Amino acid sequence: EESLTSTAREVGRYLERRGASFLAEIARGTGLLKVKVEEALWQLVAHGYVTGDGIAGLRIMLTPERKRQGRRRRLQLIAGGRSAERMMPVGRWALWLNPSEEQSAEDRRNDEARARQLLRRYGVVFRELLARETCIPSWRSLLAIYRRLEARGEIRGGRFVNGFVGEQFALPEAIESLRAQRRSGGEPQRVMISTADPLNLVGILTPSPRLSPYSNQIIVYSEGVPVDTGPLGAVRSRAQVDSVPTKK
């Protein structure tokens, strides 16, 4: 693009070679000052060549320069000049894919098969839920697939699990199951699973620490909440003690 400055073209070539990078990495790789890299990134973003992995960096770029400089001066006064870089764009920056880099038809079919597999496994799918999953498409690719399936009427999009940001998608039968579970007034059922099970979501959907899938332990869920963990024998012993009625 002839309208780009030489600095912007250099940053673009670096991203083409190295892929997604933080601002500091780009500055080291190109030998440019961070301020110059920031200006180059803004120019590349404005031309539609570069994207970031979050909104925070773009928000900083959109802040008027006089306000940013004023903020930098206050940071310098507070921290002796060492904190001025806090107003630099954060997150990683990367080039948009070229048409020649688009997926093949076979890759798209494989990605859709994996996306459907995740729906069958969990019923409801959102980004945080996939923290332990491996060999799956990126969330960006999954989003495109799920949006397409939603447009066809095959799945539903909405807010099914509270406390998590971003888009969520669910199978129609999973939504009915969730509604039936919410309406049921029976005794809570306890379910025991191994930590190697994909449903080991302790520390992912709950605030407790994560349990390694290789720890050879058991998790006890009650109404979807982990209530006990440990070796199988110890968990069963505690369960038997809890089930014994207390004498009055």
Side-chain angles (χ1 to χ4, degrees):
E1 176 64 51
E2 295 181 358
S3 62
L4 291 174
T5 63
S6 59
T7 303
R9 288 197 293 271
E10 185 175 356
V11 169
R13 286 193 292 268
Y14 175 87
L15 293 175
E16 189 173 23
R17 294 193 310 270
R18 302 300 298 270
S21 305
F22 292 99
L23 185 142
E25 295 172 339
I26 301 172
R28 286 196 302 269
T30 59
L32 297 169
L33 296 174
K34 290 183 179 180
V35 173
K36 295 297 182 181
V37 174
E38 176 190 357
E39 294 173 355
L41 284 174
W42 178 235
Q43 194 176 70
L44 291 167
V45 168
H47 280 74
Y49 291 131
V50 165
T51 181
D53 63 358
I55 195 172
L58 185 60
R59 184 182 293 118
I60 291 176
M61 282 185 169
L62 290 171
T63 303
E65 182 62 24
R66 56 183 180 81
K67 292 184 179 180
R68 295 167 66 184
Q69 288 178 345
R71 174 64 173 165
R72 288 189 182 117
R73 282 196 293 271
R74 288 195 295 273
L75 288 170
Q76 287 175 337
L77 290 174
I78 293 171
R82 291 189 299 273
S83 301
E85 294 179 0
R86 292 183 188 174
M87 285 301 289
M88 291 290 179
V90 295
R92 295 193 304 172
W93 303 88
L95 293 176
W96 286 105
L97 288 177
N98 294 324
S100 59
E101 298 172 328
E102 290 182 354
Q103 288 181 306
S104 66
E106 183 178 359
D107 289 338
R108 289 196 295 271
R109 286 194 297 270
N110 291 336
D111 284 356
E112 183 169 333
R114 293 188 182 97
R116 291 180 181 273
Q117 181 186 39
L118 292 171
L119 280 169
R120 290 193 299 270
R121 174 175 293 171
Y122 294 110
V124 179
V125 174
F126 49 96
R127 186 170 190 170
E128 288 82 355
L129 185 68
L130 308 179
R132 290 195 189 276
E133 293 288 344
T134 58
C135 300
I136 62 171
S138 66
W139 179 245
R140 178 180 171 183
S141 298
L142 289 172
L143 268 181
I145 296 169
Y146 289 143
R147 287 169 181 168
R148 186 168 64 250
L149 295 178
E150 182 187 9
R152 293 177 187 166
E154 297 185 39
I155 65 174
R156 297 276 300 278
R159 187 55 55 110
F160 309 106
V161 183
N162 290 330
F164 298 94
V165 299
E167 297 179 64
Q168 301 180 14
F169 302 89
L171 293 172
E173 54 266 34
I175 299 173
E176 292 303 319
S177 178
L178 288 172
R179 289 172 177 169
Q181 182 70 22
R182 185 175 58 185
R183 290 193 296 264
S184 65
E187 289 292 324
Q189 295 182 344
R190 291 197 171 194
V191 179
M192 290 195 301
I193 67 167
S194 167
T195 52
D197 194 287
L199 286 177
N200 174 10
L201 300 173
V202 176
I204 297 174
L205 300 188
T206 61
S208 50
R210 292 190 184 186
L211 287 175
S212 170
Y214 307 106
S215 61
N216 196 27
Q217 295 189 53
I218 296 297
I219 306 169
V220 180
Y221 282 108
S222 178
E223 297 291 289
V225 178
V227 295
D228 195 8
T229 60
L232 178 59
V235 168
R236 282 181 170 172
S237 298
R238 288 192 290 267
Q240 290 174 355
V241 171
D242 292 341
S243 63
V244 175
T246 305
K247 294 182 179 180
K248 294 184 179 180

